[in-house]
Amino acid sequence: MRTSGAARIGQYTALLGYLVFLAFPLLWLISIAFKPPRELGSPHPTWIPENPTLDNFRQAFDEQPLLDAALNSLVAALGAAVVAVLIATPMAYVMARRRTLLSRAATGWVVVSQAFPFVLVIIPLFLVLKNLRLIDSVPGLIMVYVVWALPFALWMLVGYVRAVPTELEEAAAVDGAGRVRTLVSVIAPLLAPGIVATALFAFITAWNEFFFALVLLKTPEKQTLPVVLTHFIGAEGVADLGPLAAAAFLATLPSLVVFAIIQKRITGGMLAGAVKS
Amino acid sequence: MRARWLTALVLCLLMSACTGDGGGSDDDRGRITLRFQSLAWQDESVAVNKELVKEWNATHPDVEVEYVQGSWDSVHDQLLTSFEGGEAPDIIHDASDDLADFAYGGYLADLRELLPERLKSDIPQRSWETTTFGDGVFGVPFLQEPRVLIANAKWLRESGVRVPTTEKPWTWEEFREVAEELSGDGTYGVAWPLKEPVSATLNLSLSAGGQLFHRGADGKVEVRFEDADAVVPETVRAEVNTDRSAPGTTLGSGGSDTLPGFFGGKYAMVPLGFSYRQQIVQQAPKGFDWQVLPAPAGAEGLTQGVSPQTLSIAEDSAHKEEAAEFIDFLLRPANMVRLALGDWMLPTGTEALKDPALRTADYDWATGTALAEHLRSAPAQSVRGYPEWKDKVATPAFQEFYSGAIGLAELRERLVGDGNLVLARYQR
């Protein structure tokens, strides 16, 4: 089927419009991050700062421990992603392959648990972590993030496991491979795109998470980036806009970088083997 | 074997569940450590708070204060969780209108016996009322700000209108006339940033004698919307919908959102909190001439409702007396002045208010200081159920009223009828 030139221009225009729409908040954030205070109050805001400055970045770093906070966020997010995937992969395999009433109930519970609001669980969670002496510690926060990400990670991975034909496992069994060997050597490589996507989901969720980090971490040196960002906001929502934008821009960078690196791998993996040669 | 391990693990968890530690901590040398959670956020304000903590620590080797940065954005949920978990900071910075639930919930210490006479007598009774819940006092009010009119001084001068002073402010009627006079083609006399319409309306309504919340002899509160309560809402509505001296577009905006239009000569005046001066100093174009005017006065003069910033002590703190001593240190007149200057707000202390730095004409500090004696406890301060009434009933009702969608009768019906149903649930 051939697309006419006019239709193609229309498609590209719509796509471009959609991309601009999606990129608008980030571009505006970058614009603000480089504007001096007087331009922030300008009645005629411009996309490109007239007198671009790095003062907002300087001020943001001077006022708040952004690097320490970023490191804390990175440790928490990477820890959550790795542990969530390590736990979710074998669980997902069992849930996908053993279709019992229990596994169906577990899947249902996973979906329902996503609807719990944070405030419902935070106080019991706080008490449990306190008694485990894990309040005010990054490992405690990682534990919470894993628990929080696990249901959805599991749900995602179950779908990926189901897409792997059981005939491959049967062939491995014929060749003498046991359950664990089959999972590690046969299933896991085929699940790689799913595992990467799940890890990415767990990483981004933990990287952006605010409320648990706010409540669980008391020592200023242990606070994560989203918590530190709120220190630029005052009563009644008044904000130190320039430094806030500069810090927020820096906070979005790791997510963008991770996406940029992994995106090809996800789509490549997903499409691998889709067409018989 | 496995069952035995499991039993041991469960027992360990249960044992640890039964242990807990109170606020504050003592080190091996007997030194006490107090945690002070501050909500200071502006650069100067954070610096002053940290400096004061440093000064305290230098002179009090036995009681060390640890500065912890909190944030206004989420302080209520964060404190609530900390209180429930027995991990609250010893000294808590908050706003008086956030304290009611914590005070009635038993999370905050009653300060009446803890504070020194010097501090008690330095802060006027009208300010103490903002932190008095039931029989106790649960916070020290230390910084507050009136709502003022920030005006384009050049525009005002050139128009020839009478410029109000704290001695001779505009009446609400006069303010409406002036706003209309200052309006022109595509420009407006005033812009009302009413993203949060309820507290702004209620606090300003005190000037006209509006009370809205009335406490009976039995201690129960009921909503009544009387003629005095209608003065401010009707003025705003008329400016937006009848006189067209105020744009409807800013009704959903926050204070900062109106500043670009103000700097750009679209609005002659913007009602804002006194501390907004800092943003104006930072962001106004070079040469922009602005000044602070008192908010209009009604039958009660310049009276206004405020919810001051407060310092409280957690009931769970193991070192309440030391925490009270730190608060006393932090709020000595000279220190209160430093805190006020850092936050661009007014101190509540009478001694601090006398400081020349707060009576200067620079940035119109003197205008704000002259308003201090007119500030009262916000009407909703101690009303249980107010947050729900505000969010579910009053905010949409005021928004619809100001935009012209409903009339005064409908506004009254909703504030009173629906409002009392909400409050009744909290007062059974």
Side-chain angles (χ1 to χ4, degrees):
Chain A
M1 196 175 76
R2 293 191 63 180
T3 311
S4 72
R8 190 168 295 167
I9 290 170
Q11 282 173 354
Y12 280 121
T13 310
L15 186 65
L16 191 70
Y18 185 58
L19 284 176
V20 169
F21 175 73
L22 288 182
F24 178 81
L26 184 64
L27 294 177
W28 193 240
L29 186 76
I30 296 169
S31 173
I32 292 174
F34 288 96
K35 281 181 180 172
R38 298 211 188 279
E39 280 189 52
L40 292 174
S42 167
H44 308 293
T46 54
W47 272 100
I48 312 287
E50 286 165 13
N51 301 294
T53 175
L54 290 173
D55 281 354
N56 292 327
F57 290 89
R58 211 168 291 135
Q59 199 181 332
F61 277 103
D62 284 350
E63 286 177 21
Q64 299 296 337
L66 289 183
L67 280 180
D68 291 343
L71 190 65
N72 293 335
S73 282
L74 194 67
V75 171
L78 277 177
V82 170
V83 179
V85 162
L86 285 178
I87 296 175
T89 307
M91 280 176 77
Y93 178 72
V94 173
M95 284 172 69
R97 290 293 185 247
R98 303 269 171 140
R99 296 198 183 198
T100 61
L101 188 65
L102 187 66
S103 76
R104 273 201 290 274
T107 311
W109 177 246
V110 162
V111 176
V112 170
S113 69
Q114 289 295 298
F116 291 160
F118 280 21
V119 284
L120 194 71
V121 295
I122 189 66
I123 290 174
L125 193 67
F126 189 92
L127 291 171
V128 169
L129 287 172
K130 184 190 168 197
N131 292 319
L132 291 172
R133 307 215 179 278
L134 283 173
I135 291 282
D136 201 25
S137 75
V138 176
L141 191 65
I142 291 175
M143 195 192 275
V144 174
Y145 287 166
V146 169
V147 172
W148 200 251
L150 206 52
F152 193 74
L154 205 54
W155 202 37
M156 277 175 83
L157 276 172
V158 165
Y160 279 98
V161 175
R162 285 195 181 138
V164 176
T166 51
E167 288 80 2
L168 289 173
E169 291 174 51
E170 287 162 9
V174 169
D175 290 342
R179 278 267 177 220
V180 175
R181 180 73 191 272
T182 307
L183 183 61
V184 172
S185 302
V186 180
I187 306 296
L190 293 168
L191 284 182
I195 289 174
V196 170
T198 307
L200 191 63
F201 157 76
F203 179 89
I204 304 278
T205 307
W207 179 265
N208 291 328
E209 200 285 324
F210 165 70
F211 190 57
F212 286 135
L214 171 81
V215 170
L216 298 177
L217 301 175
K218 291 181 294 182
T219 312
E221 291 76 29
K222 291 178 184 166
Q223 287 180 334
T224 58
L225 210 44
V227 177
V228 170
L229 286 183
T230 63
H231 297 162
F232 293 105
I233 301 171
E236 292 184 31
V238 184
D240 206 354
L241 206 54
L244 175 63
F249 169 57
L250 293 175
T252 57
L253 281 181
S255 301
L256 291 177
V257 170
V258 171
F259 259 119
I261 294 170
I262 290 177
Q263 187 204 26
K264 249 186 185 174
R265 201 168 285 261
I266 296 175
T267 46
M270 284 169 82
L271 296 174
V275 180
K276 279 185 187 174
S277 55
Chain B
M1 187 67 183
R2 195 184 290 172
R4 206 180 295 164
W5 274 107
L6 199 64
T7 312
L9 181 68
V10 170
L11 276 175
C12 277
L13 284 176
L14 282 174
M15 277 170 68
S16 62
C18 297
T19 60
D21 47 10
S25 61
D26 303 348
D27 67 14
D28 296 340
R29 289 162 293 173
R31 192 171 55 171
I32 294 167
T33 303
L34 299 173
R35 276 193 301 128
F36 164 41
Q37 179 169 297
S38 165
L39 299 180
W41 68 282
Q42 286 159 318
D43 204 12
E44 301 148 286
S45 172
V46 173
V48 170
N49 273 276
K50 285 185 175 169
E51 274 168 27
L52 288 171
V53 168
K54 210 170 162 185
E55 286 170 24
W56 165 274
N57 287 336
T59 50
H60 296 78
D62 297 335
V63 183
E64 185 182 20
V65 172
E66 185 184 275
Y67 180 91
V68 179
Q69 183 72 58
S71 68
W72 284 105
D73 210 24
S74 47
V75 65
H76 187 86
D77 291 338
Q78 188 245 343
L79 281 177
L80 185 63
T81 315
S82 306
F83 284 134
E84 288 284 347
E87 290 280 338
D90 300 273
I91 302 137
I92 296 161
H93 181 189
D94 204 346
S96 64
D97 57 355
D98 196 38
L99 296 185
D101 285 347
F102 296 144
Y104 287 120
Y107 298 121
L108 299 177
D110 184 352
L111 303 177
R112 284 175 300 175
E113 301 300 319
L114 290 167
L115 297 175
E117 197 48 43
R118 178 207 70 78
L119 186 57
K120 284 188 203 169
S121 57
D122 186 41
I123 295 173
Q125 184 53 31
R126 58 177 181 271
S127 293
W128 284 116
E129 280 165 17
T130 63
T131 54
T132 302
F133 304 98
D135 291 331
V137 173
F138 296 93
V140 184
F142 72 108
L143 290 179
Q144 58 187 354
E145 62 172 333
R147 200 169 287 266
V148 292
L149 297 169
I150 310 271
N152 182 322
K154 190 173 166 226
W155 191 338
L156 218 58
R157 259 194 322 270
E158 287 173 358
S159 71
V161 298
R162 180 179 78 80
V163 177
T165 60
T166 47
E167 291 79 31
K168 204 170 175 230
W170 286 329
T171 62
W172 281 99
E173 208 170 298
E174 202 177 354
F175 166 63
R176 187 179 157 185
E177 287 164 10
V178 169
E180 199 173 0
E181 206 174 319
L182 293 172
S183 299
D185 191 21
T187 57
Y188 299 91
V190 62
W192 283 97
L194 287 176
K195 190 178 176 184
E196 300 283 346
V198 184
S199 61
T201 309
L202 263 57
N203 287 342
L204 285 173
S205 287
L206 279 188
S207 68
Q211 194 69 41
L212 209 68
F213 295 100
H214 299 267
R215 197 175 288 274
D218 57 357
K220 289 191 174 176
V221 175
E222 70 163 344
V223 184
R224 289 204 302 267
F225 191 87
E226 297 166 343
D227 289 347
D229 294 297
V231 172
V232 175
E234 282 199 306
T235 303
V236 177
R237 190 179 196 271
E239 286 179 335
V240 174
N241 296 286
T242 312
D243 309 341
R244 309 275 175 202
S245 57
T249 47
T250 61
L251 290 177
S253 305
S256 305
D257 304 327
T258 56
L259 291 182
F262 177 59
F263 298 146
K266 211 170 166 192
Y267 325 123
M269 298 179 286
V270 190
L272 294 170
F274 193 53
S275 63
Y276 269 88
R277 292 169 305 139
Q278 193 230 14
Q279 283 207 358
I280 292 171
V281 169
Q282 272 190 350
Q283 296 181 7
K286 275 182 189 158
F288 183 80
D289 193 6
W290 58 278
Q291 75 179 102
V292 175
L293 308 175
E300 298 293 321
L302 287 164
T303 306
Q304 242 187 73
V306 283
S307 301
Q309 292 188 21
T310 55
L311 291 171
S312 303
I313 299 173
E315 178 61 28
D316 275 353
S317 171
H319 303 290
K320 294 192 189 73
E321 282 175 13
E322 289 80 2
E325 281 170 27
F326 174 70
I327 291 178
D328 179 40
F329 165 79
L330 208 62
L331 303 185
R332 284 178 191 166
N335 294 344
M336 224 193 240
V337 172
R338 289 161 71 184
L339 290 167
L341 291 170
D343 257 328
W344 292 68
M345 294 176 100
L346 300 176
T348 53
T350 41
E351 279 304 312
L353 271 169
K354 291 177 189 164
D355 195 285
L358 299 173
R359 296 194 168 263
T360 168
D362 292 349
Y363 306 128
D364 286 333
W365 273 103
T367 307
T369 311
L371 293 170
E373 63 182 288
H374 301 283
L375 304 180
R376 301 284 181 276
S377 179
Q381 192 74 51
S382 58
V383 178
R384 301 196 79 180
Y386 167 75
E388 185 180 339
W389 174 83
K390 184 184 81 171
D391 293 341
K392 291 186 181 167
V393 178
T395 300
F398 275 120
Q399 281 171 341
E400 286 176 52
F401 178 73
Y402 288 142
S403 69
I406 60 172
L408 194 65
E410 172 77 12
L411 175 72
R412 177 181 283 118
E413 170 54 31
R414 283 167 61 174
L415 293 179
V416 177
D418 298 352
N420 280 326
L421 287 175
V422 170
L423 295 194
R425 280 198 288 108
Y426 289 83
Q427 301 186 102
R428 280 180 192 138

